[in-house]
Amino acid sequence: MSRLLRKGVSTLILAFLIAIAVLSVFTYLVLSMARATQIAVTGLRSVVEYSYKASPYSLALNETGRGREIVNLGGSDLVIDRIVVKSGDWLEVLTPQEVGCSGNVIKAGSSITCTPPPTCRAPCEFIAVINKEGVVVNIYKPLIRARTLNVTTMFLIAITFDMISPQDLVQEFNVSPSLVAKPYPNTPSIVGMESGDKLLLLPRGQESEFYNAPVYTDPGNPLPFGVAVVGYDPSWVKENRSGIKIPPRFSLLIAGPKSPGTGFNAGNKRISLAENGWRVLINNFTGYVKIWRGSQVIACSSTRPQDCSGVSLPAVGFWYYGVDQGLNLKIEFNGVASYVANFMRMSSSQSPTRETSYYPYLYIGDVDGNGINDLIFITEDVYYGSYDKIDDMWPNEPGKPNDYSDYSTQPLELKLMQIGRALGNQDGSIDGSMYSGVLLYMNILFHDNSYPDVNQLRDIDRTDWVLRVVLLDDKGYEYIVREYRYQEICNYHKSYVTDFGRDNYFVKLSQTVYIPIPGPGRYWVAVVFQDPYQSGKTNDADLTVGVELIGVTPFYR
Amino acid sequence: MRAKRVSLFRRGAGEAIAATIAFAVLSLAIAYIILGAVPRLSIAPSTASGAVLGGVEQLVVIQREMEVGSNRTIVIEVLNAGSAPVRIDAVLVTVGGTPLLVRLGSKSICNSTQPGVLVPRSSTIIICSRADYKPVGIVTQGGKVFVVNPRIEALFEKPTGIPMKTLYGGVTVTSTSSLLRLLYNKTIVYSGAINTTIPMKLLLNKSSEYVNAQLSASLVVVGLNPVNGKLNILIIGNATSGNSITVGNDAVDLSRAGALRYRLKIENFTGVIQIGSSPAGPGIYPCLINTGKSCRVTISSSEPADIIRLYTNTTTLTPQAVGLDPYIFVGDIDGDGNTETIFVTQDFTTGNSGSVNDVNKRFNRVALDSSLKPVRLILSTVNGSQYSAAVLSIRFFYWDNSIDDISDNDNRVIVRAGLLDTATGEVRYSVALSYYELCRYRHPPFSISYVTKDFMIYIPSENKEFQVFIELADPYSNTGNRNDADILIGLSYIGMSLVSR
């Protein structure tokens, strides 16, 4: 029995050993295969997981100037941890704050804008965004493809004078404030205009702001005047354009020689016009304005149409040389207003600079009733003349006739900031690397007091400009593109009119000026005015120069 | 008993061997199964690594138009925007709308300019040699498909020019009859348009008749109708003895009927018109103005003319209102295929501030014509909610009969253009040309010099329709020797560019 057992045991042991050997080998094989598979499966899973995390994010980049807008076109909100940026030749990984981003969450379908600081050197390219989970999302930068297009409309930037007061020119047209400041006496910085004799200043107490105070000429005594500009008040023009139909309000600029015994009433004050010649500005006037010729009302404009029944010619417009015996024009107004300024002719010692500003000489309002404000620069006050006398002087003035010649010491430059702003630059400049030029359409008007018109070139024989279109660059250079000299522009107007209603001092002139832009750089277009003619028998004209509308069409390079 | 032991041993060994063999067979079988499964298991890793590969493949596909040889074909540019190298296996094309997969290769219809592996940040262009194959996408070796993605492209649209719509020009109008449809107030053609000191009546009004005439004329306008090559004619003058006109069967002794003044209008005339001694082509013939003498005009039709209207003076001595018809002419006067519309109040002579400008010297009668209503043409309409401004480009010529201009005439408005409120007829915005500007565009004696001016028109921001209009007027009748100009103004072209709001 034991021998049998021994034989069975040896067989068992042998079988066991063989089994172990075989099993070991095969176990090893299977395990290693399983491990390999598992690694591959795990790797696949993490790739799948990663792709799953990354796929909802789809970012596109929109570059405008220095700004970088990142748009999330995907379906999930993206929380930015870092942004990968190419600064110069280096790739940098920066926080959203370091890159100047407006936030660190880009909601699905929305965008954030980043304005990288100058430390991020050009091209400052945004490459990718890393989110809080460590997922790298590439930013697709759209490839710009130029495609030519037949368009049905042209691109034109319309510039209008949508403002209330000459001081608004500072904000809208970057005019130097000292050129349009209110000319109170002893104001240290007002500049721009001088006069043949006394300066037009605004003494304290001669300026009133009311809430609808009565403003009226003496009943039965309309006011004789030299020059009157009657137009729709710019604040009413603005309201009217927005569709609110309200009765019209007016703005009046009236000038005249010394007129003892005359005056008008504003609030509870009497404004006497007996001094050395006067110029009055009345804003936001509700009431009627009538122009008398002799004993008849020849023109009338009113907030209430019934005030003007029987008179078809509107008072809105320009009226020159009322004091002339052949015309004998007077103005009557009765209503309420919110602002009255009585500019007075004073010795130049009352101004530290010996100059006054353009403020008294600028009128803003709609003078032809077509719904757009006109900007009028008017130095004419009282009368006309030719080569044998000072033009703006009234020979029949009581006492010794005053010299009302006014002229510029510095031109009034209106920078057309609206062009650059419409093209995307906050500083109003035009990018010379993108645009090769601009085409300017202008509707302008002109009048002067050199009369008779057939002799005006003898009276004004010194060639000088009154209106200019210039191009300015960022280094301070000024290129004169188009200059309107007196001798050219004077041809289009008629100084003296008697046949009111049929005859015209002028109609708007439409002018087109092409302005080429030299090359890369920042440029501004400016329209510049001046009255270059001072005093004397010749070369002493006073002017009316106005702009109504400017249209600008830029041309791509 | 030995045999028993031997067999026992033999039995034990045999069992061991049998067990071993069984195990071996079993093991081999298992091994075979396992090994057979291994390839399947190893597909997973290779798929996984392929998935890994596909997962990081990021290509951008953009469609372009390129010059290939002498043709412009659609190609695709493939940019590797990811961080892994990619091999492109095939191109997805559309052939007439149906998609097709084309393998890339040197002998294939579609080829890549950079065959092989596309490394990150590099790009290649795939061009298909067949013009009808439009590539739209690619398939990578990793099995991933990338197609043209519209969100990746931003179109920068660069307009090629400024669009200008021709409102008047070419053959917009070809005759006075076709001008009628542009007139704002059509009744003025027949009455109430012009105040004249020598009123006229319509003596003959015929259509489709032969016309022959011998006339003494002071001013003749001949223009082509570019559509049919026939002539439109306007003859102005005062008739002298021997002047006659025969229209069909009607003969008129013009020396009696039109001694003070006449105006003859013929539309679509075929035949010969002779001015002086030679046949006349299109043009303006200012006989009396330039030579001081009337011209002899002879007309003979070879075919019936469409319209013949003869206006002759009445016997009235006081000014009266008449229609516009004899004062308006339509025709191509310079043969450039563009018809001009001419408004002419000029008849006879010139003058200055010391005389009345337009006089029939033979009878010492002044022939002063002035507008009671302007000639207003409606050219187009614009809606204030769509457009904010317009630029009108106008080409015209102007002439008047005043020698000393501003001394003779006040600064009245002659041309006006702008916008009318369609509903109320009110002029909402206008630009104008007044006498003081226009009189500088003409040179005595008479010549045609064209002027082109651009006007910027402001369109009110109101949701209503505005009519774009131009109007011409002769505002001068007379006050003694002044304000008595008569004019000749010709419109050649009016174009409009719109600015959208």
Side-chain angles (χ1 to χ4, degrees), chain A residues 111-128:
Chain A
S111 66
I112 59 162
T113 309
C114 306
T115 315
T119 48
C120 174
R121 270 165 291 118
C124 194
E125 212 182 301
F126 282 26
I127 306 291

PDB file of all heavy atoms in Angstrom, chain A residues 111-128:
ATOM      1  N   SER A 111     -19.195  87.764 -24.811  1.00  0.00           N
ATOM      2  CA  SER A 111     -17.771  88.029 -25.019  1.00  0.00           C
ATOM      3  C   SER A 111     -17.238  88.917 -23.910  1.00  0.00           C
ATOM      4  O   SER A 111     -17.994  89.525 -23.163  1.00  0.00           O
ATOM      5  CB  SER A 111     -17.560  88.721 -26.364  1.00  0.00           C
ATOM      6  OG  SER A 111     -18.148  90.008 -26.344  1.00  0.00           O
ATOM      7  N   ILE A 112     -15.921  88.962 -23.784  1.00  0.00           N
ATOM      8  CA  ILE A 112     -15.272  89.956 -22.921  1.00  0.00           C
ATOM      9  C   ILE A 112     -14.243  90.685 -23.756  1.00  0.00           C
ATOM     10  O   ILE A 112     -13.749  90.154 -24.746  1.00  0.00           O
ATOM     11  CB  ILE A 112     -14.589  89.335 -21.681  1.00  0.00           C
ATOM     12  CG1 ILE A 112     -13.524  88.315 -22.085  1.00  0.00           C
ATOM     13  CG2 ILE A 112     -15.605  88.743 -20.727  1.00  0.00           C
ATOM     14  CD1 ILE A 112     -12.547  87.983 -20.986  1.00  0.00           C
ATOM     15  N   THR A 113     -13.944  91.876 -23.332  1.00  0.00           N
ATOM     16  CA  THR A 113     -12.950  92.651 -24.059  1.00  0.00           C
ATOM     17  C   THR A 113     -11.733  92.860 -23.183  1.00  0.00           C
ATOM     18  O   THR A 113     -11.852  93.177 -22.003  1.00  0.00           O
ATOM     19  CB  THR A 113     -13.526  94.028 -24.450  1.00  0.00           C
ATOM     20  OG1 THR A 113     -14.770  93.821 -25.102  1.00  0.00           O
ATOM     21  CG2 THR A 113     -12.589  94.748 -25.392  1.00  0.00           C
ATOM     22  N   CYS A 114     -10.584  92.630 -23.780  1.00  0.00           N
ATOM     23  CA  CYS A 114      -9.342  92.828 -23.053  1.00  0.00           C
ATOM     24  C   CYS A 114      -8.549  93.916 -23.748  1.00  0.00           C
ATOM     25  O   CYS A 114      -8.444  93.915 -24.966  1.00  0.00           O
ATOM     26  CB  CYS A 114      -8.517  91.534 -23.049  1.00  0.00           C
ATOM     27  SG  CYS A 114      -9.433  90.126 -22.424  1.00  0.00           S
ATOM     28  N   THR A 115      -8.012  94.821 -22.973  1.00  0.00           N
ATOM     29  CA  THR A 115      -7.143  95.851 -23.551  1.00  0.00           C
ATOM     30  C   THR A 115      -5.770  95.665 -22.945  1.00  0.00           C
ATOM     31  O   THR A 115      -5.524  96.107 -21.830  1.00  0.00           O
ATOM     32  CB  THR A 115      -7.688  97.258 -23.236  1.00  0.00           C
ATOM     33  OG1 THR A 115      -9.087  97.260 -23.472  1.00  0.00           O
ATOM     34  CG2 THR A 115      -7.034  98.289 -24.120  1.00  0.00           C
ATOM     35  N   PRO A 116      -4.888  94.958 -23.645  1.00  0.00           N
ATOM     36  CA  PRO A 116      -3.597  94.653 -23.037  1.00  0.00           C
ATOM     37  C   PRO A 116      -2.788  95.927 -22.831  1.00  0.00           C
ATOM     38  O   PRO A 116      -2.805  96.812 -23.671  1.00  0.00           O
ATOM     39  CB  PRO A 116      -2.916  93.735 -24.056  1.00  0.00           C
ATOM     40  CG  PRO A 116      -3.873  93.541 -25.156  1.00  0.00           C
ATOM     41  CD  PRO A 116      -5.044  94.422 -24.969  1.00  0.00           C
ATOM     42  N   PRO A 117      -2.076  96.006 -21.715  1.00  0.00           N
ATOM     43  CA  PRO A 117      -1.244  97.179 -21.471  1.00  0.00           C
ATOM     44  C   PRO A 117      -0.049  97.167 -22.407  1.00  0.00           C
ATOM     45  O   PRO A 117       0.238  96.145 -23.022  1.00  0.00           O
ATOM     46  CB  PRO A 117      -0.818  97.014 -20.007  1.00  0.00           C
ATOM     47  CG  PRO A 117      -0.868  95.543 -19.773  1.00  0.00           C
ATOM     48  CD  PRO A 117      -1.949  95.001 -20.657  1.00  0.00           C
ATOM     49  N   PRO A 118       0.655  98.280 -22.509  1.00  0.00           N
ATOM     50  CA  PRO A 118       1.795  98.347 -23.427  1.00  0.00           C
ATOM     51  C   PRO A 118       2.886  97.337 -23.101  1.00  0.00           C
ATOM     52  O   PRO A 118       3.748  97.069 -23.932  1.00  0.00           O
ATOM     53  CB  PRO A 118       2.321  99.775 -23.236  1.00  0.00           C
ATOM     54  CG  PRO A 118       1.163 100.538 -22.724  1.00  0.00           C
ATOM     55  CD  PRO A 118       0.358  99.577 -21.899  1.00  0.00           C
ATOM     56  N   THR A 119       2.859  96.753 -21.897  1.00  0.00           N
ATOM     57  CA  THR A 119       3.879  95.754 -21.574  1.00  0.00           C
ATOM     58  C   THR A 119       3.722  94.519 -22.452  1.00  0.00           C
ATOM     59  O   THR A 119       4.645  93.737 -22.616  1.00  0.00           O
ATOM     60  CB  THR A 119       3.795  95.320 -20.095  1.00  0.00           C
ATOM     61  OG1 THR A 119       2.408  95.022 -19.814  1.00  0.00           O
ATOM     62  CG2 THR A 119       4.274  96.429 -19.177  1.00  0.00           C
ATOM     63  N   CYS A 120       2.537  94.323 -23.003  1.00  0.00           N
ATOM     64  CA  CYS A 120       2.356  93.220 -23.940  1.00  0.00           C
ATOM     65  C   CYS A 120       2.739  93.739 -25.305  1.00  0.00           C
ATOM     66  O   CYS A 120       2.035  94.540 -25.911  1.00  0.00           O
ATOM     67  CB  CYS A 120       0.879  92.775 -23.942  1.00  0.00           C
ATOM     68  SG  CYS A 120       0.518  91.517 -25.189  1.00  0.00           S
ATOM     69  N   ARG A 121       3.914  93.320 -25.771  1.00  0.00           N
ATOM     70  CA  ARG A 121       4.437  93.911 -26.988  1.00  0.00           C
ATOM     71  C   ARG A 121       3.790  93.334 -28.234  1.00  0.00           C
ATOM     72  O   ARG A 121       3.401  92.174 -28.265  1.00  0.00           O
ATOM     73  CB  ARG A 121       5.958  93.734 -27.049  1.00  0.00           C
ATOM     74  CG  ARG A 121       6.685  94.921 -26.386  1.00  0.00           C
ATOM     75  CD  ARG A 121       8.143  94.665 -26.072  1.00  0.00           C
ATOM     76  NE  ARG A 121       8.325  93.692 -25.022  1.00  0.00           N
ATOM     77  CZ  ARG A 121       8.943  92.531 -25.186  1.00  0.00           C
ATOM     78  NH1 ARG A 121       9.434  92.207 -26.367  1.00  0.00           N
ATOM     79  NH2 ARG A 121       9.078  91.696 -24.191  1.00  0.00           N
ATOM     80  N   ALA A 122       3.736  94.151 -29.256  1.00  0.00           N
ATOM     81  CA  ALA A 122       3.108  93.731 -30.510  1.00  0.00           C
ATOM     82  C   ALA A 122       3.723  92.445 -31.004  1.00  0.00           C
ATOM     83  O   ALA A 122       4.929  92.255 -30.851  1.00  0.00           O
ATOM     84  CB  ALA A 122       3.276  94.833 -31.549  1.00  0.00           C
ATOM     85  N   PRO A 123       3.066  91.482 -31.626  1.00  0.00           N
ATOM     86  CA  PRO A 123       1.675  91.617 -32.020  1.00  0.00           C
ATOM     87  C   PRO A 123       0.668  91.406 -30.898  1.00  0.00           C
ATOM     88  O   PRO A 123      -0.516  91.555 -31.104  1.00  0.00           O
ATOM     89  CB  PRO A 123       1.512  90.516 -33.077  1.00  0.00           C
ATOM     90  CG  PRO A 123       2.484  89.466 -32.664  1.00  0.00           C
ATOM     91  CD  PRO A 123       3.629  90.178 -32.020  1.00  0.00           C
ATOM     92  N   CYS A 124       1.126  91.054 -29.703  1.00  0.00           N
ATOM     93  CA  CYS A 124       0.254  90.788 -28.559  1.00  0.00           C
ATOM     94  C   CYS A 124      -0.909  89.905 -28.995  1.00  0.00           C
ATOM     95  O   CYS A 124      -2.071  90.272 -28.893  1.00  0.00           O
ATOM     96  CB  CYS A 124      -0.263  92.103 -27.975  1.00  0.00           C
ATOM     97  SG  CYS A 124      -1.018  91.863 -26.339  1.00  0.00           S
ATOM     98  N   GLU A 125      -0.522  88.741 -29.479  1.00  0.00           N
ATOM     99  CA  GLU A 125      -1.517  87.828 -30.043  1.00  0.00           C
ATOM    100  C   GLU A 125      -2.056  86.918 -28.953  1.00  0.00           C
ATOM    101  O   GLU A 125      -1.300  86.339 -28.184  1.00  0.00           O
ATOM    102  CB  GLU A 125      -0.821  86.986 -31.106  1.00  0.00           C
ATOM    103  CG  GLU A 125      -1.702  86.572 -32.254  1.00  0.00           C
ATOM    104  CD  GLU A 125      -0.924  85.709 -33.225  1.00  0.00           C
ATOM    105  OE1 GLU A 125       0.088  86.221 -33.740  1.00  0.00           O
ATOM    106  OE2 GLU A 125      -1.302  84.554 -33.407  1.00  0.00           O
ATOM    107  N   PHE A 126      -3.327  86.794 -28.888  1.00  0.00           N
ATOM    108  CA  PHE A 126      -3.956  85.878 -27.926  1.00  0.00           C
ATOM    109  C   PHE A 126      -3.990  84.486 -28.548  1.00  0.00           C
ATOM    110  O   PHE A 126      -4.625  84.285 -29.574  1.00  0.00           O
ATOM    111  CB  PHE A 126      -5.383  86.337 -27.621  1.00  0.00           C
ATOM    112  CG  PHE A 126      -5.472  87.489 -26.650  1.00  0.00           C
ATOM    113  CD1 PHE A 126      -4.427  88.389 -26.508  1.00  0.00           C
ATOM    114  CD2 PHE A 126      -6.604  87.666 -25.886  1.00  0.00           C
ATOM    115  CE1 PHE A 126      -4.509  89.441 -25.621  1.00  0.00           C
ATOM    116  CE2 PHE A 126      -6.698  88.716 -24.994  1.00  0.00           C
ATOM    117  CZ  PHE A 126      -5.655  89.606 -24.865  1.00  0.00           C
ATOM    118  N   ILE A 127      -3.319  83.541 -27.921  1.00  0.00           N
ATOM    119  CA  ILE A 127      -3.180  82.213 -28.516  1.00  0.00           C
ATOM    120  C   ILE A 127      -4.233  81.254 -27.956  1.00  0.00           C
ATOM    121  O   ILE A 127      -4.917  80.574 -28.688  1.00  0.00           O
ATOM    122  CB  ILE A 127      -1.778  81.621 -28.244  1.00  0.00           C
ATOM    123  CG1 ILE A 127      -0.687  82.577 -28.704  1.00  0.00           C
ATOM    124  CG2 ILE A 127      -1.646  80.265 -28.873  1.00  0.00           C
ATOM    125  CD1 ILE A 127      -0.592  82.747 -30.191  1.00  0.00           C
ATOM    126  N   ALA A 128      -4.316  81.201 -26.603  1.00  0.00           N
ATOM    127  CA  ALA A 128      -5.218  80.225 -26.008  1.00  0.00           C
ATOM    128  C   ALA A 128      -5.642  80.677 -24.632  1.00  0.00           C
ATOM    129  O   ALA A 128      -5.059  81.599 -24.049  1.00  0.00           O
ATOM    130  CB  ALA A 128      -4.535  78.860 -25.919  1.00  0.00           C
TER     131      ALA A 128
END
